[in-house]
Amino acid sequence: MNDTAAERSSAKASSFAAFGALCVAIMKGFVRDRTSVFFALIFPLMFLVLFGGIFNFDQSSQIKMIQVGDVALFDNLPADARHGLDELFDLSRSDDLAAAIANVRDGDAAVAVIESDGDLVAHYSQTDQVKAATVQGALRSFVDGANVAMSGVAPAFSLRTERVEDESLEAIQFITPGLLGWAVAMSASFGAAATLNGWRNSKLLRRLQLAPVSTRTIVGSRLVVTIAVALFQMAVFLGLGTALFGLKLSGAWLASVPLVVIGTLCFMAVGLLAGAVAKTTEGAVNMANFIVLPMSFLSGSFFPLDNAPSWLKFVSNLLPLKHLNEGMTDVMVRGQAWTAILQPALILAGFAVVVTFAAAKLFRW
Amino acid sequence: MTAISVENLSIAYGTVQAVDHVTFEVRRGEFFGILGTNGAGKTTTLEMIEGLRKPDGGSIQVLGRSPWPRDSELLPRIGVQLQASSFFERLTAREQIGTFASLYGVDRSAADSMLEAVGLDDKADARVEDLSGGQTQRLSIACALVHDPELVILDEPTASLDPHARRNLWDILRGLTHSGRTVVITTHHMDEAEALCDRVAIMDAGRILELDSPAALIRSLDSPARIAVDARTLAADDATRINGVTGIETDHDVLTLVTRDPSTVLGELARLQCLDGVQVRTGTLDDVFLTVTGREYNP
């Protein structure tokens, strides 16, 4: 009895060693494949840098305002109101009204402000109507606020605005989860498709069948490597986003880790399906790309679908990547509780099961 | 003692009877060859013996066990090289065989010594993609041997190798049976089967047509010897008058004498001083193939 127990534990140890050896072999095969590494890591990061750069530049531009001479309203603002002013306007000073107006006319500034005896005169350009309205509204509110404060009467109404998303306006908040979803979908599906086809064509699958290791060990090692790659992608994305582009993660962002794991499984299943259908490795990768790239556009990985027609939003909701993106955005930047991943996780798991089943049906040795 | 026993083995792919009631035995310690053209059913037969395919009919015993369904106690006792070079991508030769060692629960030092045994120790750090055809085959065989199996099954180990690399590999293959190991190979090459195998099964269209030692197969042909001499040293008329010559063929400057009594004819040729550049050819497995299938061997 002791013998069988010892045998069993040694069998367990050797199957663990086999599992480890397979993980190492697959990981080395991946790391040494420059094309795979490029498409899994560098390529999505290029998009992050590109999109992060473009949208950040656009969002951070304040409204340029030229203050001509002293403007008591601005100079005497209480600290918190002054902060609000500085956030909205890029304020510069000038003593020459004519030059300031010329600047506004040329589009170098949005508005020039001068004060004489409590009269605030704002010279603006109607070229950009939205900006013109913003400028007028903002200035009026500062004037009204100052008047109320001067009268010493407590205001009967007050308005407090709160943004439903993260307070920050940075576009990086919305770009990062979507691009990460695309990157994970791409590397998981390409990896699974290429492995299945490569191993089948080289007969390595059959060779492994002849070794005393279970299918569980083989599939498990491939899963572990793919998940490790996905989590590494995630770390690089979030690290780079935080360090370079001012990404701010909200409280329950760690809940996106299990979501990424389930998403990886789901897209491995998509890759397996492509690998089972296609005959060559290239064909399998192309097919995975054919599935994942359009899906990324339709799932809002590259741009939000808020203004998309309703039929497109409907299609979008049928795609697993959409739910991965939504779930990650919820916990990473929308500040929702970890429970926000439950529904997307269930949907992704369902997709994974169904697609794996289809791949198994179509699979030929 | 039998290593493999196959009885009435059959399998069909659609309407094609790939293997058709095949029966044979491989003894322990034997070097056994299956010879045949592409599509003869060699690989399919091996795959059923290895347990990769379920036969439609018949029975197989490998080392006293049934290979189907997958028997994880039988697998470590068998070493297999498949037709393609089944490697993990982008690993070095050492990493490759080390991974296979771990899959069989064998120490990695065994893998290194096996690499040495097939003469690849100087290529240990080269990636499998950078190995030559001969080196690839040797690594593939080393991977099949790393766990010291009792039975080794090699599917066309010398396919697509140049003659020099092929002969290099023969030396390694010949050494495989030294420790009492049983070896089964398939091959296209008649000369290879003749040079390596204790017994050869000639397979065609899913059936085994002949099974015996190469020498016995050739003997059973009872084919005449063909003695080729330089046509300038011997006139055709003189040749026909030699005792025992049953026919002559001329081809440019070569005169071929056909005889069933080569000793007498060779003696006479020696007396006539016509032995310079003489070539004597008796039957080969090619002739056996021609006889049993009725067509030229054309792999």
Side-chain angles (χ1 to χ4, degrees):
Chain A
M1 234 171 98
N2 278 340
D3 275 0
T4 50
E7 265 171 30
R8 218 176 293 137
S9 90
S10 101
K12 204 175 266 176
S14 85
S15 98
F16 189 74
F19 179 77
L22 277 173
C23 286
V24 170
I26 296 167
M27 188 53 106
K28 278 183 178 165
F30 169 73
V31 172
R32 289 175 188 171
D33 181 4
R34 294 208 191 112
T35 317
S36 297
V37 173
F38 176 81
F39 277 106
L41 286 173
I42 315 293
F43 191 55
L45 279 179
M46 277 166 49
F47 274 76
L48 184 72
V49 171
L50 211 64
F51 281 23
I54 293 171
F55 289 122
N56 266 355
F57 178 73
D58 202 25
Q59 292 280 332
S60 66
S61 65
Q62 294 164 301
I63 298 171
K64 286 204 169 97
M65 175 160 70
I66 304 173
Q67 175 184 339
V68 183
D70 288 336
V71 176
L73 174 69
F74 294 164
D75 297 338
N76 302 334
L77 272 180
D80 55 337
R82 176 73 205 193
H83 179 71
L85 182 82
D86 286 341
E87 205 154 74
L88 187 58
F89 293 107
D90 175 9
L91 201 62
S92 59
R93 283 169 179 275
S94 162
D95 290 321
D96 184 349
L97 178 63
I101 291 174
N103 275 341
V104 172
R105 193 169 285 132
D106 293 345
D108 292 337
V111 62
V113 177
I114 187 164
E115 191 196 63
S116 56
D117 303 331
D119 255 349
L120 202 65
V121 183
H123 301 271
Y124 71 94
S125 157
Q126 191 64 23
T127 317
D128 184 342
Q129 299 187 12
V130 175
K131 203 173 258 179
T134 310
V135 167
Q136 292 178 56
L139 287 176
R140 185 158 293 128
S141 76
F142 281 113
V143 172
D144 290 348
N147 284 336
V148 168
M150 295 271 282
S151 71
V153 178
F157 300 101
S158 73
L159 174 68
R160 207 178 62 197
T161 58
E162 268 180 27
R163 216 186 132 102
V164 290
E165 298 92 3
D166 186 90
E167 285 165 19
S168 157
L169 278 164
E170 307 282 328
I172 189 79
Q173 302 290 92
F174 303 98
I175 293 165
T176 310
L179 283 180
L180 178 58
W182 168 60
V184 165
M186 194 167 61
S187 70
S189 60
F190 287 19
T195 303
L196 182 62
N197 254 277
W199 287 16
R200 185 173 57 205
N201 291 343
S202 75
K203 291 208 179 177
L204 183 60
L205 272 182
R206 283 176 167 274
R207 182 67 188 79
L208 290 176
Q209 258 194 312
L210 292 170
V213 285
S214 61
T215 313
R216 217 175 36 204
T217 305
I218 297 167
V219 174
S221 58
R222 192 68 189 87
L223 282 179
V224 163
V225 171
T226 311
I227 289 170
V229 170
L231 293 181
F232 183 71
Q233 283 178 311
M234 183 177 179
V236 172
F237 255 75
L238 300 188
L240 216 66
T242 309
L244 296 185
F245 302 111
L247 172 71
K248 288 188 199 99
L249 292 171
S250 59
W253 71 272
L254 273 174
S256 56
V257 172
L259 198 61
V260 164
V261 171
I262 298 170
T264 304
L265 297 183
C266 178
F267 282 96
M268 275 189 80
V270 169
L272 286 181
L273 184 65
V277 173
K279 289 199 168 55
T280 64
T281 309
E282 292 77 12
V285 171
N286 285 342
M287 190 176 296
N289 203 4
F290 180 75
I291 298 171
V292 169
L293 193 61
M295 192 192 291
S296 305
F297 278 99
L298 292 174
S299 302
S301 271
F302 302 115
F303 42 80
L305 294 175
D306 301 338
N307 299 322
S310 59
W311 65 266
L312 211 144
K313 283 184 186 167
F314 175 76
V315 172
S316 170
N317 275 322
L318 300 177
L319 304 173
L321 185 54
K322 154 87 176 179
H323 298 280
L324 176 61
N325 288 345
E326 280 294 308
M328 287 200 295
T329 309
D330 280 349
V331 290
M332 278 184 183
V333 298
R334 286 193 187 127
Q336 298 202 17
W338 69 270
T339 45
I341 69 158
L342 289 179
Q343 193 198 347
L346 275 176
I347 292 171
L348 287 168
F351 265 100
V353 169
V354 170
V355 178
T356 305
F357 186 74
K361 277 274 162 204
L362 291 168
F363 179 74
R364 294 153 286 114
W365 278 102
Chain B
M1 286 283 273
T2 52
I4 301 173
S5 154
V6 169
E7 238 186 278
N8 276 324
L9 190 64
S10 295
I11 193 170
Y13 298 143
T15 57
V16 180
Q17 194 67 37
V19 175
D20 192 2
H21 294 88
V22 162
T23 299
F24 66 91
E25 276 193 2
V26 179
R27 302 176 197 125
R28 290 213 184 195
E30 189 172 32
F31 202 122
F32 189 89
I34 303 177
L35 179 73
T37 51
N38 280 332
K42 307 185 299 288
T43 299
T44 308
T45 303
L46 289 191
E47 284 178 341
M48 288 188 284
I49 291 171
E50 291 154 0
L52 288 173
R53 260 179 222 286
K54 186 177 185 291
D56 292 344
S59 69
I60 311 172
Q61 290 279 306
V62 178
L63 301 173
R65 306 177 75 104
S66 169
W68 185 278
R70 197 166 178 269
D71 179 354
S72 56
E73 286 185 34
L74 177 59
L75 292 175
R77 298 171 67 192
I78 309 175
V80 176
Q81 182 209 12
L82 299 172
Q83 227 173 69
S85 41
S86 325
F87 292 132
F88 293 95
E89 301 100 332
R90 291 173 287 280
L91 293 196
T92 66
R94 175 180 286 128
E95 290 167 341
Q96 198 71 244
I97 193 169
T99 305
F100 276 104
S102 299
L103 293 183
Y104 284 90
V106 176
D107 202 73
R108 283 193 176 227
S109 61
D112 283 345
S113 60
M114 190 52 69
L115 220 47
E116 210 172 310
V118 298
L120 280 179
D121 33 342
D122 58 328
K123 285 283 172 188
D125 295 319
R127 298 227 185 133
V128 289
E129 288 85 358
D130 299 329
L131 298 180
S132 72
Q135 289 163 345
T136 304
Q137 293 292 49
R138 278 187 275 157
L139 178 60
S140 189
I141 291 168
C143 288
L145 294 173
V146 70
H147 55 293
D148 193 19
E150 298 162 50
L151 168 66
V152 186
I153 302 175
L154 310 171
D155 198 357
E156 296 190 8
T158 64
S160 74
L161 295 188
D162 61 67
H164 179 71
R166 214 150 64 84
R167 273 161 210 279
N168 268 343
L169 204 57
W170 285 5
D171 292 335
I172 292 169
L173 295 176
R174 276 201 193 94
L176 293 183
T177 48
H178 283 173
S179 47
R181 188 182 277 139
T182 311
V183 179
V184 178
I185 67 165
T186 64
T187 181
H188 275 168
H189 301 288
M190 295 285 179
D191 55 341
E192 191 162 287
E194 253 177 294
L196 294 174
C197 299
D198 297 325
R199 288 194 306 149
V200 182
I202 297 178
M203 203 167 177
D204 192 52
R207 290 165 177 272
I208 288 186
L209 302 179
E210 294 285 334
L211 198 174
D212 212 329
S213 68
L217 285 174
I218 293 161
R219 227 180 297 125
S220 73
L221 273 178
D222 194 25
S223 64
R226 305 166 72 81
I227 302 169
V229 296
D230 191 335
R232 286 168 304 186
T233 60
L234 183 67
D237 287 351
D238 295 336
T240 48
R241 279 196 287 273
I242 295 173
N243 237 344
V245 171
T246 56
I248 58 163
E249 293 161 11
T250 47
D251 181 18
H252 299 292
D253 48 353
V254 177
L255 180 66
T256 304
L257 312 167
V258 182
T259 177
R260 285 184 184 279
D261 186 4
S263 348
T264 308
V265 174
L266 283 169
E268 187 63 17
L269 286 173
R271 204 182 56 76
L272 294 168
Q273 305 215 322
C274 308
L275 281 184
D276 288 348
V278 74
Q279 282 187 323
V280 183
R281 193 176 153 269
T282 53
T284 63
L285 274 176
D286 289 270
D287 301 319
V288 177
F289 189 87
L290 177 65
T291 311
V292 296
T293 65
R295 50 175 214 273
E296 289 279 350
Y297 184 74
N298 203 357

